[in-house]
Amino acid sequence: MHFISKELEEYAANHSENEPELLAQLDKETHQKVLQPRMLSGHFQGRFLSMISKLVHPTHILEIGTFTGYATLSLAEGLKAEGTLDTIDVNEELYDFQRKYFDLSPYGKQITQHIGSALDIIPQLDKTYDLVFIDADKKNYSNYFELIIGKMNPGGLILSDNVLWSGKVIEEIKANDKSTLALDQYNKLLKEDPRVETILLPIRDGLTVSRVR
């Protein structure tokens, strides 16, 4: 779903920072070789993630859901020189694709890939984070939030993608639509949880910015 017209989205992208050439190559190869390329963050959202990361200037970033690494590299642009980025994905088949582009970037040595369930991996991470991006299986968004909130530095940001879910969150939700139900519950959690202050932005499929108090 386009929450604004396609023409306005294109205008916004065309009047935002240019897409880096490496990310344009990653986008092209994703569309050529990977199933469901629409899962890619893309130019406009990528520049938004980059801007947020540069404003935060994080020491440690956590990403839940790597896909082909477009958002990963966008977020890495704001890392401190000594900073790190941990990215988690269940799909081991994309590991080499991701690593190729990570190593072509200036941030390859700062990015650590984790393959497996984020529910198992997050408790093992021994860092506190300044910036987290959640873009994985929707039914576990609330579980991810509960796992990471205790690992966040005060003032840190949690970004959550796809929170409008093609507009399904404002429609009558069917009992068997577990993803939409989970996202609706998650959106309510972020609004009501006193540990964060939240704004939900209608960027692409909905992106929430939550600041840890």
Side-chain angles (χ1 to χ4, degrees), residues 9 17 20 25-26 50 59 62 66 92 95 105 108 119 126-127 133 144 153 167 173 177 188 197-198 200 205:
E9 284 188 357
E17 187 71 14
Q25 294 173 18
L26 190 162
S50 170
T59 300
L62 173 62
T66 315
E92 61 182 319
Y95 184 95
S105 79
L119 298 176
D126 60 354
K127 301 172 185 173
F133 182 45
Y144 297 145
N153 291 318
I173 304 174
D177 188 350
K188 291 173 182 174
E197 52 183 313
T198 291
L200 197 162
D205 197 23

Side-chain angles (χ1 to χ4, degrees), residues 39 63-67 87-95 98 113-121 135-137 139-140 144:
M39 292 172 59
E63 179 185 39
I64 305 171
T66 315
F67 192 46
T87 186
I88 305 170
D89 203 280
V90 295
N91 189 354
E92 61 182 319
E93 294 181 1
L94 290 175
Y95 184 95
Q98 300 159 4
Q113 295 160 276
H114 303 269
I115 301 297
S117 168
L119 298 176
D120 298 327
I121 293 169
D135 186 15
D137 57 311
K139 68 180 184 297
N140 276 312
Y144 297 145

Side-chain angles (χ1 to χ4, degrees), residues 51-198:
M51 180 70 76
I52 292 293
S53 186
K54 287 170 182 173
L55 290 170
V56 174
H57 199 37
T59 300
H60 299 303
I61 299 173
L62 173 62
E63 179 185 39
I64 305 171
T66 315
F67 192 46
T68 55
Y70 192 105
T72 319
L73 290 175
S74 299
L75 291 164
E77 293 175 23
L79 274 173
K80 291 181 179 177
E82 71 279 14
T84 68
L85 193 161
D86 291 289
T87 186
I88 305 170
D89 203 280
V90 295
N91 189 354
E92 61 182 319
E93 294 181 1
L94 290 175
Y95 184 95
D96 292 338
F97 186 108
Q98 300 159 4
R99 179 46 59 186
K100 178 178 77 170
Y101 280 95
F102 294 163
D103 288 342
L104 286 170
S105 79
Y107 318 107
K109 293 182 180 179
Q110 295 173 276
I111 299 172
T112 300
Q113 295 160 276
H114 303 269
I115 301 297
S117 168
L119 298 176
D120 298 327
I121 293 169
I122 294 171
Q124 301 175 22
L125 300 174
D126 60 354
K127 301 172 185 173
T128 56
Y129 292 94
D130 307 297
L131 182 59
V132 172
F133 182 45
I134 304 175
D135 186 15
D137 57 311
K138 311 311 166 192
K139 68 180 184 297
N140 276 312
Y141 268 36
S142 294
N143 293 328
Y144 297 145
F145 175 82
E146 295 296 347
L147 286 175
I148 64 177
I149 189 66
K151 294 178 177 289
M152 295 296 300
N153 291 318
L157 297 183
I158 300 171
L159 309 177
S160 309
D161 200 14
N162 304 118
V163 291
L164 293 178
W165 207 227
S166 297
K168 291 181 181 179
V169 290
I170 62 170
E171 299 171 358
E172 183 177 352
I173 304 174
K174 298 178 181 178
N176 62 351
D177 188 350
K178 295 182 180 179
S179 292
T180 306
L181 284 168
L183 284 170
D184 185 51
Q185 292 168 0
Y186 179 66
N187 292 337
K188 291 173 182 174
L189 168 66
L190 293 183
K191 175 66 168 63
E192 297 169 1
D193 196 305
R195 295 172 291 182
V196 293
E197 52 183 313
T198 291

